Amino acid sequence: QKYTKPEFGEKERTIEVREEKSLEVSIVSVSGSQPVIFSLRGAPREMSVNNETLLWEKPIAGQYSITLLASNLLGVDSQAINLTVGPCYYPELAAQGLVMDQWEKKGLW
């Protein structure tokens, strides 16, 4: 059996979610000999990786550049993740005349 270091099929990934939903994204396209251990660099403190799933229970609106690392005894590979968390709809904002399409026009989502 040949042992190999981890390797992502995609070196960059874009993820877009809304603030009101928890983030649960499967880590896909990783080859390499097991066990492969995942870790994050540059991620919000509340974000984690568990059982090949990227997790964030209460995402906060904004744009994030995160590096996902996959490692085993033979080496490390990385994947750049560009994460955009869009604001959720709040009635208070609508009362102020700020609705989702205005967020989109301003480039905030």
Side-chain angles (χ1 to χ4, degrees):
Q1 180 177 356
K2 181 180 177 187
Y3 293 97
T4 59
K5 77 176 197 117
E7 189 171 338
F8 284 99
E10 299 176 3
K11 295 297 182 187
E12 190 169 347
R13 188 170 180 192
T14 299
I15 301 170
E16 295 180 352
V17 296
R18 295 245 185 237
E19 191 175 34
E20 74 270 13
K21 298 185 178 185
S22 63
L23 175 72
E24 285 190 33
V25 178
S26 293
I27 299 168
V28 293
S29 305
V30 178
S31 61
S33 300
Q34 295 296 321
V36 174
I37 298 170
F38 296 97
S39 59
L40 297 167
R41 185 179 298 149
R45 188 175 47 210
E46 301 83 8
M47 186 180 287
S48 63
V49 178
N50 189 7
N51 295 327
E52 297 188 11
T53 303
L54 187 62
L55 302 167
W56 193 6
E57 189 173 327
K58 296 179 182 176
I60 299 168
Q63 294 185 330
Y64 304 88
S65 295
I66 301 161
T67 302
L68 176 62
L69 302 168
S71 61
N72 65 13
L73 293 174
L74 299 174
V76 178
D77 196 19
S78 63
Q79 181 181 62
I81 297 177
N82 301 306
L83 172 63
T84 300
V85 178
C88 64
Y89 176 81
Y90 289 106
E92 306 86 49
L93 296 177
Q96 297 171 17
L98 187 61
V99 292
M100 194 55 76
D101 65 329
Q102 288 175 315
W103 278 88
E104 290 169 359
K105 287 176 189 172
K106 291 180 179 181
L108 299 172
W109 175 246

